[in-house]
Amino acid sequence: MAAKLPKLTLWRAITAIIFMVGAYAAYLRFFIGWQASTNLTDAQPWGLWVGFGTLCGVGLSAGGFGLAGAVYLLGMERYRPILRASILLSFLGYSTVCTGMLYELGLPWRIWHPLIYWNGHSVLFDVSMCVMAYTSVLALEFSPSLIEKLPWKAARDFYLHWHHKVLIALVLAGVLLSSMHQSFLGGLFLIAKGKVYPLWYSPYLTTMFYLSAIPAGIAMLIVALYLCVRSLNVRIEYSILEELSRVMGIMLGVYGIFRAIDLWRNHALQYLFTRRIETAYFWLEIMLLVIIPVALLSQSKIRNTPRALYWTCATVVMGFMANRLNVSITAIDATTGANYSPKWPELALTLAVVTAAAVAFRLAVIHLDILPKNEPKSARWIMNSAEPAEA
Amino acid sequence: MEKKAILVDIKRCVGCQSCEQACQRVHGFPEQHQAHLSDTALTVVEQHGEKFVRRMCLHCEDPACASACLVGALKKSSFGPVTYDAKKCMGCRYCMIACPQAVPKYEWSKLAPYVKKCDMCAERQAAGEKPACVEACPLDASTVGNREDILKEAWSRVRSDSSYVPRVYGVEEFGGTSVFYISDVAFEELGFVKPALGSQPLPTLSAAALGETPTVVLVGGSMLAALYWITQRRRDVALAESHTAQPKQTEKIDEGRS
């Protein structure tokens, strides 16, 4: 009987600990209160949960709409093998955001209120409507992966037939919805003009958020796919990732140029070298998000080495997180003097929800047809170059 | 009801804190002086050197908080006050991000926290009473009345007494407010916020971004649809060509490849 129990590995133990600590943090948040579980104050009412949970969660999930748009609307069929994985990644990302919303909101049982109480002047209203609609679109886009595992053939065929008919409409709606809310997330901070430190305030915050979300979504996708290939029995044509990384490098370069022009036009260049902690955070962000990855991705050697590409993409992901946290926390702290840093339950809850998404992703890849599976014990990377895979 | 406004005369205020206590009594909060606005102190007498400044919500004419609130829990009433509907609020705290004066406060100590801010005693005013803080002021440092009359009063006090700074705070700031201040000390020295946009209300910033939405949806939607149409058309043409041109040959090539 012992054979049926799952083996206890180091990673499983770590995961279990993360969930237990997360559960205790959730207990603190929902039964003891905000002051026991967060360092939020009136001066910094949005901390790690909004800054990381919502802004990064939504942004890093941008891969799904990018890939769906590329395959279905632009006919780039060569990306199809990783399409399902990217949609799954986005869907789980948005589910994470929705879960995170439950502890971000003071009155989480009213999470549905925007459906009946409308304020069209509110950027957050548009964000919430878009996110709700797009999460549903993602669920529908992803649904065939589950439905096709149903044992009833008639129901399965009926669903897949109709799904195929509405798919393009779904993809089109999805691309529009996510383009809108990715930029509106930046738009949230437009109204707080006096409160956002000049290095991050821009009338084009919407454009900036949009331009950075797509490459960050791609980076997250490559990171996830690399980990899949390393730890699961799946196969990915490496040339796809190489090509994606080239597109990502160009997008990051474009973003960097826009950002520079924008700083110049907002007369913010004078803040680039002032002796303040914000300056350091700014340069950290720019190094991780633009300068290092663009320099690395311009080298074909880096792009063609899976491990190097993985670390480059991880840098982009970290730089992206730095950017969103800077806009939502550093930039506000600088002017309100809130001096916020997260309390441990904030970190623990965030980590637990992200881990849950990672576990769900892993289980889905193992049990559903998300990525082409390997023949047992064959080479893990099918390379287009002669170089053997390092993975 | 006509539009109401409150005038706070900093020169007249001696810092007795009667307004604080009256406000706390009306709201059922513990009566105690606090240094800054909080969820149990919706108006506070701050000391700046020799001067006392009563802080409270300014009740902007075009309030950032009301424009930010996604469920419309915060609203500018027709007669002046910016009110809060606790039944709608979902606790997102975006109003706190949006308010340039950091007026809305949150009940961090509660498990079901609400936003707390001065509502200019809207209910009392609707019943014909004065706001509690104004009523409690023994020295007429706070006055309430129709907005036009209050503005006239403010200007006449400033003009008739040369010790006043020749300015009424709240006429232009944040696009105009329903609380005015006059003072005999420069406002900058008393910790008054300098509006980021001068006399333009903050909500215009997000309105500019939101205004583009319909265009983006229409233009973006049709462009995407066109792209899809082109993609499909090219695929169909390629398929038709491969079928009509040399069907047998292509089949052979395919066989050869596999």
Side-chain angles (χ1 to χ4, degrees), chain A residues 34 41-42 45-46 72-73 75 77 104 106-107 110 113 117 119 121-123 126 168 184 188 190-191 195, chain B residues 66-69 71 86-94 96-97 99 105-106 108 113 205 210 227-228 231 235:
Chain A
W34 290 90
T41 55
D42 287 324
W46 283 2
Y72 288 113
L73 302 181
E77 285 293 328
E104 278 163 24
L107 308 161
R110 294 179 175 176
H113 269 195
Y117 301 120
N119 178 16
H121 302 293
S122 168
V123 182
D126 283 33
I168 289 302
F184 282 155
L188 285 180
L190 285 176
I191 201 166
K195 286 183 170 180
Chain B
S67 143
C69 181
V71 289
K87 283 200 293 292
K88 289 182 178 175
C89 178
M90 53 197 285
C92 73
R93 309 183 293 283
Y94 187 31
M96 302 171 72
I97 294 280
C99 176
K105 300 294 175 193
Y106 207 54
W108 297 108
L205 290 170
L210 287 175
L227 276 175
Y228 173 65
T231 309
R235 186 181 298 166

Side-chain angles (χ1 to χ4, degrees), chain A residues 141-212:
Chain A
E141 280 184 11
F142 175 68
S143 60
S145 314
L146 278 175
I147 299 289
E148 69 192 15
K149 293 286 174 191
L150 279 181
W152 312 291
K153 190 176 183 308
R156 205 169 61 205
D157 289 349
F158 176 80
Y159 185 88
L160 294 178
H161 173 76
W162 280 102
H163 187 270
H164 189 73
K165 297 223 158 181
V166 297
L167 184 61
I168 289 302
L170 280 179
V171 171
L172 217 146
V175 173
L176 272 180
L177 284 168
S178 40
S179 302
M180 275 161 63
H181 69 254
Q182 289 291 0
S183 31
F184 282 155
L185 283 176
L188 285 180
F189 295 91
L190 285 176
I191 201 166
K193 178 160 189 190
K195 286 183 170 180
V196 180
Y197 192 68
L199 279 177
W200 290 283
Y201 191 87
S202 154
Y204 293 97
L205 263 172
T206 45
T207 319
M208 293 301 148
F209 265 52
Y210 186 61
L211 285 178
S212 54

Side-chain angles (χ1 to χ4, degrees), chain B residues 55-71:
Chain B
R55 299 273 173 214
M56 60 189 291
C57 174
L58 293 186
H59 301 280
C60 307
E61 292 287 280
D62 188 356
C65 60
S67 143
C69 181
L70 76 167
V71 289

